[in-house]
Amino acid sequence: MNKGKTIFAQLMSLFTEYEFSKCVKRYKGDRHAIKFNCRDQFLVMSFAQFTDRSGLRDIETTLDLCSQDLYRSGLKIMPKSTLAEANEKKDWRIYQDFGNILIQKAKKLYAGEKLRLDLDEMVCAFDSSTIELCLSQCPWATLHHGKGGFKMHTLMDLNGSIPAFIRLTEASVHDSKVMEEIPIEANAYYLMDKGYVKFDALYKHFHQNHAWFVTRAKDNMFYEVVKSREVDSQAGLISDETITLSGYYTSKKYPDNLRLVAYEDFRDSKVYRFLTNNFTIEALTVAELYRERWQIEIFFKWIKQHLHIKTFYGTSKNAVYTQIWMAICDYLLLIIAKKQYGLKPSLHTISNSIGQILFKRGDIRDFYNKPTESFNVPEDDSTRQLTLW
């Protein structure tokens, strides 16, 4: 079926025109569009992301050089002025809504995937990453000390490395203020660092909705020990306690008991204290759950490097948000392609090599599952496991 299609066309066939057009019509994205519509914009920007184009002129030049391969891939040569205008004017929420459609598709494909931990429940990590911008070119993105930037708040379903919820905000917005926007599912686990220790939100938004959270305790937390349990010191466990908050305000914000697990990482001899509202799983599982947060750091690294958000193709808020959401859509398309086409290599290998074969014709499975040519995949820091804690 795919023998005559280019690899790029096969990736873009993973969603239908109907799915995309609903998002476009919602924000009247193709109003007054004559030659180049939102789909053309998305295809060209996806091509730019996958092939690491450095700017609008580079995109136009490369498309012109590849003109004989464009038709069968669904691409058009788009002048840089036209692409710049599209990024400035076409509502970025089109691609946010389209990204949410792809998220739901990816979640269905990866339903049933499990972590290395023996847990049947959904496990998610929530964190944010600040993406810096040049303030002189993007005055809307005020950060501090003359710097510019914005934050990407992300909830990632770790069972398939799927970004299930994303919110873009000003960089000055504190992480904890977005907590109450997280979609909650009962009996799911939510992993967060100690920047999200906001006891009223943990109690009302998570605990009262029967969801489990695992986070790190702050050093200045006041509490009383209600009960202590025996632990296996050989596994790195120091203590496993049931506690109640004793601070005047915190005791009112979280009136129920909490579980405090102290764990020593033998690699660096550091001691970590984890807070959770789950009293049934093993103490070591609490520490191992928090360790799984590294996957969301991989996603942020992907967005900043693998999908080449090192160079923005516009400076307005609409242009920047458009490029971010298109990069997220491309990330999701690769996740979907890996599952739907049964591709064996890691997502890292696929993402680093996809730009080299976009215009080759043949089934994508023949390239990745039975390689006929080698790919030069850079072995940089992105292949190493990031800081876990």
Side-chain angles (χ1 to χ4, degrees):
M1 180 183 296
N2 289 326
K3 291 294 183 181
K5 288 184 177 182
T6 64
I7 301 300
F8 185 79
Q10 290 171 57
L11 287 176
M12 295 301 129
S13 68
L14 294 172
F15 65 91
T16 65
E17 184 70 35
Y18 175 70
E19 292 171 329
F20 188 80
S21 63
K22 284 194 301 182
C23 303
V24 174
K25 290 177 181 178
R26 190 172 297 129
Y27 301 101
K28 301 178 181 179
D30 283 340
R31 184 175 54 180
H32 307 311
I34 300 175
K35 193 173 182 181
F36 299 105
N37 56 28
C38 289
R39 184 178 177 86
D40 295 327
Q41 178 197 14
F42 179 76
L43 294 180
V44 169
M45 288 289 285
S46 295
F47 165 80
Q49 298 283 6
F50 288 135
T51 57
D52 195 12
R53 297 304 94 200
S54 61
L56 295 171
R57 186 179 299 277
D58 187 20
I59 296 172
E60 182 182 11
T61 302
T62 306
L63 287 174
D64 189 47
L65 291 172
C66 301
S67 57
Q68 61 182 0
D69 298 306
L70 300 185
Y71 177 76
R72 65 174 68 99
S73 298
L75 283 161
K76 298 178 182 178
I77 298 177
M78 185 177 289
K80 62 184 181 65
S81 58
T82 303
L83 183 57
E85 184 179 8
N87 290 345
E88 294 287 335
K89 293 184 177 181
K90 293 188 184 298
D91 199 318
W92 64 272
R93 292 175 295 176
I94 294 170
Y95 307 103
Q96 174 186 254
D97 289 4
F98 180 54
N100 288 325
I101 289 175
L102 294 179
I103 286 170
Q104 296 307 314
K105 185 170 185 176
K107 290 182 73 172
K108 288 180 181 179
L109 283 173
Y110 283 85
E113 290 280 319
K114 290 187 178 182
L115 297 174
R116 61 185 179 84
L117 301 175
D118 188 20
L119 293 172
D120 294 327
E121 296 83 2
M122 183 175 72
V123 180
C124 298
F126 186 63
D127 206 347
S128 71
S129 181
T130 299
I131 300 177
E132 294 188 0
L133 299 171
C134 177
L135 189 59
S136 62
Q137 295 183 358
C138 306
W140 54 272
T142 303
L143 182 52
H144 55 72
H145 304 304
K147 295 182 178 180
F150 64 95
K151 274 187 179 179
M152 177 188 293
H153 306 265
T154 304
L155 178 72
M156 175 162 283
D157 183 348
L158 301 184
N159 297 73
S161 295
I162 302 166
F165 166 84
I166 295 175
R167 179 73 71 241
L168 303 180
T169 68
E170 298 176 1
S172 58
V173 174
H174 193 273
D175 295 347
S176 62
K177 291 187 177 180
V178 188
M179 285 176 65
E180 296 182 15
E181 296 184 38
I182 300 175
I184 296 298
E185 291 189 24
N187 297 316
Y189 289 90
Y190 295 86
L191 319 177
M192 300 166 282
D193 67 20
K194 56 183 167 185
Y196 295 96
V197 178
K198 185 181 178 185
F199 286 112
D200 51 349
L202 290 174
Y203 184 72
K204 294 177 182 178
H205 194 57
F206 293 91
H207 186 69
Q208 290 192 328
N209 285 311
H210 310 289
W212 312 118
F213 61 82
V214 178
T215 185
R216 284 178 61 192
K218 292 184 177 180
D219 295 335
N220 60 353
M221 182 180 71
F222 292 98
Y223 64 94
E224 295 177 356
V225 177
V226 176
K227 180 182 178 182
S228 294
R229 286 170 285 275
E230 292 185 3
V231 296
D232 181 5
S233 59
Q234 298 298 317
L237 294 168
I238 298 173
S239 63
D240 180 10
E241 300 169 329
T242 298
I243 66 168
T244 181
L245 299 176
S246 59
Y248 178 79
Y249 294 105
T250 56
S251 61
K252 290 178 170 55
K253 292 177 180 178
Y254 201 105
D256 213 333
N257 289 340
L258 283 163
R259 185 180 185 184
L260 181 64
V261 175
Y263 173 83
E264 181 181 4
D265 186 1
F266 292 140
R267 291 168 302 176
D268 55 15
S269 299
K270 288 187 178 179
V271 175
Y272 302 93
R273 300 189 306 156
F274 303 112
L275 273 179
T276 182
N277 60 334
N278 187 298
F279 292 85
T280 59
I281 58 176
E282 297 290 333
L284 186 59
T285 303
V286 174
E288 291 297 324
L289 267 172
Y290 193 84
R291 188 187 296 270
E292 293 296 323
R293 282 186 64 257
W294 69 271
Q295 291 188 46
I296 199 170
E297 302 296 341
I298 293 291
F299 170 72
F300 289 139
K301 194 173 185 70
W302 173 290
I303 289 297
K304 291 181 178 180
Q305 295 183 13
H306 295 174
L307 285 182
H308 316 300
I309 301 295
K310 294 174 286 188
T311 304
F312 283 93
Y313 305 143
T315 57
S316 70
K317 180 177 180 179
N318 192 81
V320 171
Y321 279 20
T322 292
Q323 187 173 344
I324 285 288
W325 271 105
M326 285 187 177
I328 294 167
C329 289
D330 290 334
Y331 171 89
L332 289 162
L333 284 173
L334 288 186
I335 286 180
I336 292 169
K338 178 172 170 55
K339 190 69 171 180
Q340 192 156 315
Y341 292 132
L343 305 183
K344 296 178 182 178
S346 68
L347 194 61
H348 170 262
T349 299
I350 295 171
S351 67
N352 277 281
S353 60
I354 195 72
Q356 304 174 33
I357 61 171
L358 283 182
F359 291 144
K360 289 187 177 293
R361 287 191 285 179
D363 197 309
I364 190 172
R365 287 164 285 207
D366 293 337
F367 285 94
Y368 283 109
N369 294 349
K370 297 178 182 179
T372 57
E373 55 186 277
S374 60
F375 302 116
N376 296 319
V377 180
E379 296 294 334
D380 57 12
D381 290 341
S382 59
T383 61
R384 303 172 191 165
Q385 183 164 308
L386 301 181
T387 302
L388 303 185
W389 311 110

